[in-house]
Amino acid sequence: MSLFTLQKSASSCQARRGELQLPRATVQTPAFMPVGTQGTVKAMTFDEVWELGYRLILGNTYHLYLRPGSERVARFGGLPKFIGWDGAMLTDSGGYQVFSLKDLRKITEEGVTFRSTLDGSKHLFSPERVMEIEHELGADIIMAFDECPPYPATWQYTKDSLDRTLRWEERCLARHNALGGDSTGHLLFGIVQGGSYDDLRAQSALAVSAMDFPGIAIGGVSVGEPVEEMRRITALTTPLLPAHKPRYLMGVGTPSDLLDGIYYGIDMFDCVLPTRMARNGALYTSQGRINISNARWTDEAGPIDPECDCKVCRLHSAAYLRHLHQSKEILYSRLATYHNLAYYAKVMEGARAAIEQDTFPEYRRACYATWGLALPPDA
Amino acid sequence: MSLFTLQKSASSCQARRGELQLPRATVQTPAFMPVGTQGTVKAMTFDEVWELGYRLILGNTYHLYLRPGSERVARFGGLPKFIGWDGAMLTDSGGYQVFSLKDLRKITEEGVTFRSTLDGSKHLFSPERVMEIEHELGADIIMAFDECPPYPATWQYTKDSLDRTLRWEERCLARHNALGGDSTGHLLFGIVQGGSYDDLRAQSALAVSAMDFPGIAIGGVSVGEPVEEMRRITALTTPLLPAHKPRYLMGVGTPSDLLDGIYYGIDMFDCVLPTRMARNGALYTSQGRINISNARWTDEAGPIDPECDCKVCRLHSAAYLRHLHQSKEILYSRLATYHNLAYYAKVMEGARAAIEQDTFPEYRRACYATWGLALPPDA
């Protein structure tokens, strides 16, 4: 059984329709992964995440390592079992979080030493240690430990960082294999870096493609660069990756970002946007993003999205959602998150159907139009 | 059709088993009402409240009058429709909240003027105005506007307050009848006050019993008095109330308070405890109240209550709940609230079954024993 089955490729863009056969679940691609940072998709139960059609969610190694601790999670049989999720999981490497710590961390060839944001205690994340932690967390897909350079960064900084990341990825592979490798049910994906430099991106894509990873991620995007930059990086990277391996664009994005990524050949995405933005009052709808705190919703008896058939839109008025938001009620976060994840699921379902019918560019154009956005020129 | 059917009375205590036939739902009594202060039972969906067996919930007039506003709620067809709750509702009169405002309110014979805690705006709650507001909110049961005196209060203060409350209740009845009376589907309940003074409680109970209310509440309890005081007031009041009218002990209480109330003849209760305490980390279980932040739960693979068959106890370990609590995750509040409301429902279900079998005192004694509490002497 192969991990990834490529079922259909679009004729006039790079979009692909496939299936990821993970140890715990089969996932239809292109797929969006909701983020469960601390062992919960914020405000949701796993029943709800499942009923929305999601079969693969992300957990954050940095947070879970610090609390409740990866050893404890291992004693409970791994993260999916600890949290009660019947689907598949992916853990990031914690790299993005520890590099974000700025004053609290120090990078060496060995790895990154950092101080916990919870209690100030000192820790080392090295490629080897992160592999051990991710094996303890026990997700279906585990990510290699990389450096995610900031934006902007100089060519030289990015080059040095990339070269170290490539060495770290080799060390990840070695430790992962020493721990039993992919046959443990924890599949190690590599990560392409290289900042916003075409030559470094290409070098990274070719180097990571040559390593023995069953799937490849594009990292170092969605770190503050203009969206055109993200599209350009994606468009230049995917053609350099092996067609038979799944491609994962990390930390992306808005609904339009997802369609752009798919257009350029991406199979997997994760992002906190639908859940975080929901809690902050922003709802993704067939009419574009709306802000529920806007007074225009005060007396709106219809749902937040008249074209949405999710449970929230079927049962509740926009006025009630706005009331809950203004009253800072937990139910607001629940309903808003549920709707946003339902909308993301719908956009992705539409994308998969469109690829099957080889009408993805038309689908993308139509979505952009209903969102009131201008379709960007090809990257 | 009568509002209240008394089905069974205990032979050795005052406990009663009955049925409340409200416009929107039939409610088995003794019943506990979850509190939905701002138009939501905090952290719950109404589907969940319903699946736990609740058919009657409370909304707070003070909060809903200020936001989203009772006129707006009326335009949406009333509170149950606005919030999407298929069961029955009760609104309090707002009296408890406005009297709690202390420096922000002024009491006259006319009513209470107060400043909004939301925006400082000035408002008047009079018996007539509150009836109009409660008709707008449109609950099945609406409560008369009373003064809830603080604890402790002098006899003279309590006497003056009670006399005014009785005059206010007459004015409530007059306005309620002018608005269409109980045939509107909004049944007006009276409230017994009298503080901790037996003579005033008796005066109030007899006076309110003589008025044309289909149900009677005991107010002014759970305001800081010792629990013995609450039991004594309840025990002396219920025998003075007409047997054919439902009796509602306002703002009560812990699971043991509920069993005490039932023992002394109460049919209805409401309290924020199961929902508020849940969010603060306190869980009611068959082993008594536990605090989930306690380190003893860190590695507990079993549920928070091994004898509970609620969804949370079936699906999740105490260790996971503790992790969510320590991580301040919304899912913690959801699961904890769900469990506490499930436990309250179970205690009440057990109480109803025990009254049917005329074994309520034994049931109460057994519950106290499993909670590790001493059964109080008869009041």
Side-chain angles (χ1 to χ4, degrees):
Chain A
M1 188 190 79
S2 109
L3 163 69
F4 184 61
T5 310
L6 187 56
Q7 295 172 330
K8 173 110 184 177
S9 294
S11 59
S12 62
C13 71
Q14 302 298 313
R16 299 137 50 102
R17 174 77 179 85
E19 193 173 271
L20 263 178
Q21 286 170 319
L22 299 173
R24 284 193 185 74
T26 296
V27 180
Q28 303 304 316
T29 64
F32 176 78
M33 296 181 273
V35 175
T37 304
Q38 301 193 106
T40 158
V41 176
K42 286 190 194 297
M44 293 288 94
T45 60
F46 293 112
D47 282 357
E48 291 166 339
V49 175
W50 183 275
E51 88 187 11
L52 287 170
Y54 295 104
R55 296 294 176 267
L56 174 58
I57 65 173
L58 182 143
N60 284 108
T61 289
Y62 169 79
H63 295 91
L64 294 162
Y65 161 77
L66 291 178
R67 184 173 58 198
S70 51
E71 283 178 40
R72 172 164 296 116
V73 168
R75 284 200 302 276
F76 276 80
L79 189 55
K81 196 153 178 225
F82 179 66
I83 67 181
W85 165 242
D86 286 331
M89 291 198 78
L90 177 151
T91 45
D92 67 2
S93 68
Y96 182 81
Q97 276 78 22
V98 295
F99 284 101
S100 306
L101 294 175
K102 300 221 184 329
D103 300 342
L104 293 170
R105 50 89 172 157
K106 192 178 161 226
I107 310 172
T108 65
E109 183 63 24
E110 168 65 6
V112 183
T113 49
F114 62 94
R115 289 199 177 273
S116 160
T117 39
L118 292 182
D119 63 5
S121 57
K122 206 171 166 181
H123 302 265
L124 167 70
F125 270 10
S126 64
E128 292 78 13
R129 185 76 191 99
V130 166
M131 286 301 97
E132 291 158 10
I133 294 167
E134 289 198 77
H135 272 257
E136 285 176 335
L137 293 174
D140 302 69
I141 299 174
I142 66 178
M143 301 303 299
F145 186 62
D146 61 339
E147 178 182 349
C148 178
Y151 180 90
T154 64
W155 185 91
Q156 193 59 52
Y157 182 95
T158 308
K159 166 74 174 158
D160 293 344
S161 163
L162 170 61
D163 289 345
R164 188 169 49 218
T165 283
L166 291 172
R167 292 190 296 274
W168 283 1
E169 296 195 73
E170 292 287 7
R171 284 166 59 191
C172 282
L173 264 174
R175 186 54 151 236
H176 171 63
N177 287 330
L179 291 167
D182 289 352
S183 68
T184 56
H186 317 308
L187 308 164
L188 177 60
F189 277 28
I191 304 177
V192 174
Q193 289 288 353
S196 45
Y197 300 99
D198 294 10
D199 56 341
L200 299 180
R201 283 283 170 183
Q203 178 201 336
S204 178
L206 295 174
V208 173
S209 295
M211 295 184 202
D212 191 20
F213 294 118
I216 298 175
I218 302 177
V221 293
S222 200
V223 291
E225 79 283 9
V227 65
E228 296 75 24
E229 188 73 7
M230 181 167 75
R231 278 195 294 263
R232 195 176 58 79
I233 296 301
T234 309
L236 81 86
T237 304
T238 54
L240 304 176
L241 303 178
H244 65 285
K245 292 185 181 181
R247 304 160 180 170
Y248 161 29
L249 190 62
M250 301 182 81
V252 173
T254 64
S256 56
D257 291 339
L258 301 187
L259 296 189
D260 292 349
I262 294 169
Y263 187 80
Y264 294 116
I266 297 295
D267 307 301
M268 302 163 62
F269 304 87
D270 81 280
C271 194
V272 295
L273 271 188
T275 45
R276 179 179 295 164
M277 295 297 276
R279 298 194 304 283
N280 291 337
L283 301 168
Y284 294 97
T285 78
S286 58
Q287 270 101 61
R289 204 179 94 185
I290 66 168
N291 193 319
I292 197 65
S293 67
N294 192 303
R296 70 179 270 217
W297 304 110
T298 312
D299 288 297
E300 177 54 58
I304 45 175
D305 184 352
E307 291 181 33
C308 181
D309 62 355
C310 87
K311 204 160 58 178
V312 176
C313 289
R314 285 201 317 272
L315 291 177
H316 296 297
S317 66
Y320 181 57
L321 254 75
R322 182 174 190 276
H323 165 67
L324 293 175
H325 178 265
Q326 302 305 98
S327 304
K328 299 183 171 46
E329 284 286 352
I330 289 175
L331 183 56
Y332 166 74
S333 292
R334 291 187 56 175
L335 300 180
T337 303
Y338 189 95
H339 167 80
N340 273 359
L341 286 179
Y343 189 69
Y344 267 59
K346 189 181 171 186
V347 168
M348 296 302 282
E349 195 186 346
R352 291 192 296 269
I355 300 170
E356 284 169 15
Q357 294 152 26
D358 205 12
T359 57
F360 181 76
E362 292 81 351
Y363 174 73
R364 177 174 173 242
R365 193 179 309 126
C367 287
Y368 263 84
T370 70
W371 296 330
L373 300 175
L375 196 68
D378 276 1
Chain B
M1 189 187 82
S2 107
L3 164 70
F4 184 62
T5 311
L6 187 56
Q7 296 172 330
K8 173 111 185 175
S9 294
S11 60
S12 62
C13 70
Q14 301 299 313
R16 300 137 49 103
R17 174 78 178 84
E19 193 173 271
L20 263 178
Q21 285 169 320
L22 298 174
R24 283 193 187 73
T26 296
V27 180
Q28 303 304 316
T29 66
F32 176 78
M33 296 180 273
V35 175
T37 304
Q38 302 193 105
T40 159
V41 176
K42 284 188 194 299
M44 292 289 95
T45 60
F46 292 112
D47 282 357
E48 290 166 341
V49 174
W50 183 275
E51 89 187 10
L52 287 169
Y54 294 105
R55 296 295 177 264
L56 174 58
I57 65 173
L58 182 142
N60 284 108
T61 290
Y62 169 78
H63 295 90
L64 294 163
Y65 160 77
L66 291 178
R67 184 174 56 198
S70 51
E71 283 177 41
R72 173 165 296 114
V73 168
R75 284 200 301 275
F76 276 81
L79 190 55
K81 197 152 178 227
F82 178 66
I83 67 181
W85 165 243
D86 285 332
M89 292 198 78
L90 177 150
T91 45
D92 67 1
S93 69
Y96 182 82
Q97 277 78 21
V98 296
F99 284 102
S100 305
L101 293 175
K102 298 218 183 334
D103 299 342
L104 293 172
R105 50 89 172 155
K106 193 177 161 227
I107 310 172
T108 65
E109 182 64 25
E110 169 64 7
V112 183
T113 48
F114 62 95
R115 289 199 177 272
S116 160
T117 39
L118 292 183
D119 64 6
S121 56
K122 207 170 166 182
H123 302 265
L124 167 70
F125 270 9
S126 64
E128 292 78 12
R129 186 74 192 100
V130 165
M131 287 300 99
E132 291 158 9
I133 294 167
E134 290 198 76
H135 272 257
E136 286 176 334
L137 293 175
D140 302 69
I141 298 174
I142 65 179
M143 301 303 298
F145 186 64
D146 62 337
E147 179 182 349
C148 178
Y151 179 90
T154 64
W155 185 91
Q156 193 59 52
Y157 181 94
T158 308
K159 165 73 173 158
D160 293 343
S161 162
L162 170 61
D163 289 344
R164 187 170 46 219
T165 283
L166 291 172
R167 292 191 295 273
W168 284 1
E169 297 194 73
E170 292 286 8
R171 285 166 57 191
C172 282
L173 265 174
R175 187 54 152 233
H176 171 63
N177 287 330
L179 290 167
D182 289 352
S183 68
T184 56
H186 317 310
L187 308 164
L188 176 61
F189 277 29
I191 304 178
V192 173
Q193 289 287 352
S196 46
Y197 301 99
D198 294 11
D199 55 341
L200 299 181
R201 283 282 172 184
Q203 178 202 333
S204 178
L206 296 174
V208 173
S209 295
M211 294 184 203
D212 191 20
F213 295 117
I216 297 175
I218 301 176
V221 292
S222 199
V223 291
E225 79 282 9
V227 64
E228 296 76 23
E229 187 71 8
M230 181 167 75
R231 279 195 293 264
R232 195 176 58 79
I233 296 301
T234 308
L236 81 85
T237 305
T238 53
L240 304 177
L241 303 177
H244 65 285
K245 293 184 181 182
R247 304 159 179 170
Y248 161 30
L249 190 63
M250 301 182 83
V252 174
T254 65
S256 56
D257 290 339
L258 300 188
L259 297 189
D260 292 350
I262 294 169
Y263 187 80
Y264 294 116
I266 297 295
D267 306 301
M268 302 163 62
F269 304 87
D270 81 282
C271 194
V272 295
L273 272 187
T275 45
R276 179 179 295 164
M277 296 296 277
R279 298 195 305 282
N280 291 338
L283 300 169
Y284 293 97
T285 79
S286 59
Q287 269 101 61
R289 203 178 94 184
I290 66 168
N291 192 320
I292 196 65
S293 68
N294 192 303
R296 71 180 269 219
W297 304 110
T298 311
D299 287 298
E300 177 54 58
I304 44 175
D305 183 354
E307 291 181 32
C308 181
D309 62 355
C310 87
K311 205 160 58 177
V312 176
C313 289
R314 285 200 317 273
L315 291 176
H316 296 297
S317 66
Y320 181 57
L321 254 75
R322 181 174 190 276
H323 165 67
L324 293 176
H325 178 265
Q326 302 304 98
S327 305
K328 299 183 172 41
E329 285 286 353
I330 289 175
L331 183 56
Y332 165 73
S333 292
R334 291 186 55 174
L335 300 180
T337 303
Y338 190 95
H339 167 80
N340 272 359
L341 287 179
Y343 189 68
Y344 266 60
K346 190 181 171 183
V347 168
M348 296 302 283
E349 194 185 345
R352 291 192 296 269
I355 300 169
E356 284 167 16
Q357 294 151 27
D358 205 12
T359 57
F360 181 76
E362 292 82 350
Y363 175 73
R364 176 173 173 244
R365 192 179 308 125
C367 286
Y368 263 84
T370 71
W371 296 330
L373 300 175
L375 195 69
D378 277 359

